Amino acid sequence: MTVPMRARSRREAHRAATPLELFFDLCFVVAIAQAGRQLVHALAEGHWGHGVVGYLMLFFAVWWAWMNFSWFSSAYDTDDALYRVVTLLQIAGVLILAAGVPRAFAASDFGVVWFGFVVMRLAMVSQWLRAAYGSRGAERRTALSYAVGVTVCQVGWLGLLIVPAGDVVWVFVVVGALELAVPAVAERTWQTAWHPHHIAERYGLFLIIVLGETISAATVAVQSALDENDELGVLLPLAGGGLLLVFAAYWIYFAVPIHLHLRSNRQAFLWGYGHYLVYASAAAVGAGIEIAVEESVGSAHLSLRAASACVTVPAALFMFTVWLIHSRHQKRGLAQQLVLPVSSVAVLACTFAGESAVLAAGLVAAVTVAVGATLTARQGTALEG
């Protein structure tokens, strides 16, 4: 059973994520886990440039496919049979992409990744064409612009299969920039009817999934190291510090109701695009903890300080990026505004704390939450008085 695809209202009451959207998000964990696992292998072997660049490129592919669907579904979700089938097809695409991540990392062979991306993007194009069929005027032109833009970019990604391995990065930079430009160009005359509260919820739920993958990866690493080396005294501080970082990341992100800030495309696009660094850094914390565990038991080919940096750098980046695009819009007063930027610097400084680096970073994150909560409570008391 199908229904005409019509734009939903931005003022729709009680708009919430659907079970299909939650299932869609959950399946993306597979691709995120694969990218994180390859990052661990590369960094543990000391291949910093290859590991970081490869991780950022593949994470972009995963994040961008997720984002395309999320904003479309916020505006046009009909939840009928055809919509569900096409969404499930997109899920199949991300699973194909995930299967190709190891080969892309190890040998710059992007064939499977590209094919998985094709499956996802062609399904997305069909959704936009369906939206165009059900609309008129400027709204129809916007839907068609999206369909054409996504198709052109997908053709551009063919460069991954034909250029020399040394030029792959340039293909990502150029075509990635074109991908980011498609929404801005398509919505020049008509803004799609995304729902602020729904979008904020979707982004928050995806962060929870990313943090869940971080905890899972770190737990498996600690368990494996404990089974092989039985060094509980060494591993407990790493596990404790990592857990504090993840708990703090959750608390920091959800401390503000960001949907009140999303009033226009300009605000929403800057906020939405900035989440690439939020999600990538959150997932990288889990990879960093894995590397720190391997270094602590002598399985990684890098120094203690370098292993510590694998945790502290993404953790600091997460804090600063969340403040920059997310939290600062709801903070009041200089003290509240300074908490996260100062804490990000303090977390970076923990890199030099030797064997206690991860635990120290976790404690800094915990103090950050305590200070932020105290300042917020004081502000609330002052307003009541």
Side-chain angles (χ1 to χ4, degrees), residues 36-37 40 213 217-218 221 285-295 311:
R37 192 169 298 117
V40 170
E213 165 55 26
V285 169
I289 294 171
E290 288 189 67
I291 294 168
V293 168
E294 290 189 16
E295 190 282 329
V311 178

Side-chain angles (χ1 to χ4, degrees), residues 80-147:
D80 59 3
L82 180 57
Y83 181 85
R84 292 184 180 187
V85 169
V86 175
T87 301
L88 294 174
L89 183 61
Q90 290 176 274
I91 291 175
V94 76
L95 296 178
I96 295 170
L97 184 151
V101 166
R103 184 177 297 182
F105 242 98
S108 293
D109 181 355
F110 289 90
V112 178
V113 168
W114 181 85
F115 180 68
F117 208 52
V118 165
V119 173
M120 287 187 286
R121 306 308 296 290
L122 291 183
M124 192 74 257
V125 168
S126 73
Q127 296 279 45
W128 279 116
L129 291 175
R130 186 181 173 197
Y133 180 78
S135 58
R136 296 292 183 269
E139 182 183 0
R140 186 171 187 272
R141 288 193 295 274
T142 292
L144 289 174
S145 295
Y146 266 110

Side-chain angles (χ1 to χ4, degrees), residues 6 9 50 62 79 81 93 133 142 155 183 231 257 336 354 373:
R6 299 282 190 267
S9 172
H50 174 72
V62 175
D79 200 34
Y133 180 78
T142 292
V155 173
E231 297 186 20
Q336 284 194 3

Side-chain angles (χ1 to χ4, degrees), residues 86-353:
V86 175
T87 301
L88 294 174
L89 183 61
Q90 290 176 274
I91 291 175
V94 76
L95 296 178
I96 295 170
L97 184 151
V101 166
R103 184 177 297 182
F105 242 98
S108 293
D109 181 355
F110 289 90
V112 178
V113 168
W114 181 85
F115 180 68
F117 208 52
V118 165
V119 173
M120 287 187 286
R121 306 308 296 290
L122 291 183
M124 192 74 257
V125 168
S126 73
Q127 296 279 45
W128 279 116
L129 291 175
R130 186 181 173 197
Y133 180 78
S135 58
R136 296 292 183 269
E139 182 183 0
R140 186 171 187 272
R141 288 193 295 274
T142 292
L144 289 174
S145 295
Y146 266 110
V148 172
V150 171
T151 302
V152 169
C153 289
Q154 192 57 48
V155 173
W157 289 121
L158 276 170
L160 295 175
L161 307 183
I162 60 178
V163 303
D167 295 328
V168 163
V169 174
W170 294 111
V171 173
F172 261 94
V173 171
V174 173
V175 184
L178 292 176
E179 290 274 11
L180 295 174
V182 168
V185 172
E187 303 207 16
R188 285 178 302 174
T189 58
W190 177 275
Q191 294 186 7
T192 52
W194 49 266
H195 193 286
H197 192 281
H198 177 250
I199 280 292
E201 182 188 26
R202 295 283 285 111
Y203 271 69
L205 291 172
F206 195 66
L207 178 67
I208 290 175
I209 287 176
V210 171
L211 292 177
E213 165 55 26
T214 295
I215 291 177
S216 175
T219 301
V220 170
V222 171
Q223 177 188 349
S224 298
L226 190 60
D227 290 343
E228 295 175 8
N229 298 276
D230 196 25
E231 297 186 20
L232 187 61
V234 175
L235 296 174
L236 274 181
L238 293 174
L243 200 59
L244 286 175
L245 284 171
V246 174
F247 287 171
Y250 163 83
W251 192 298
I252 289 167
Y253 186 89
F254 289 100
V256 298
I258 196 61
H259 68 276
L260 300 175
H261 171 68
L262 305 179
R263 300 187 184 93
S264 69
N265 272 10
R266 182 177 181 276
Q267 294 167 324
F269 284 173
L270 290 174
W271 177 82
Y273 285 2
H275 272 71
Y276 168 62
L277 292 178
V278 172
Y279 294 145
S281 59
V285 169
I289 294 171
E290 288 189 67
I291 294 168
V293 168
E294 290 189 16
E295 190 282 329
S296 70
V297 296
S299 299
H301 303 290
L302 73 173
S303 67
L304 173 60
R305 184 171 297 176
S308 300
C310 291
V311 178
T312 57
V313 171
L317 179 61
F318 176 87
M319 284 186 173
F320 184 78
T321 308
V322 168
W323 170 79
L324 184 64
I325 69 167
H326 187 80
S327 301
R328 68 182 178 89
H329 302 295
Q330 303 296 325
K331 300 295 184 181
R332 299 294 179 267
L334 183 61
Q336 284 194 3
Q337 290 288 6
L338 286 176
V339 171
L340 286 177
V342 170
S343 294
S344 65
V345 175
V347 168
L348 275 179
C350 292
T351 305
F352 304 95

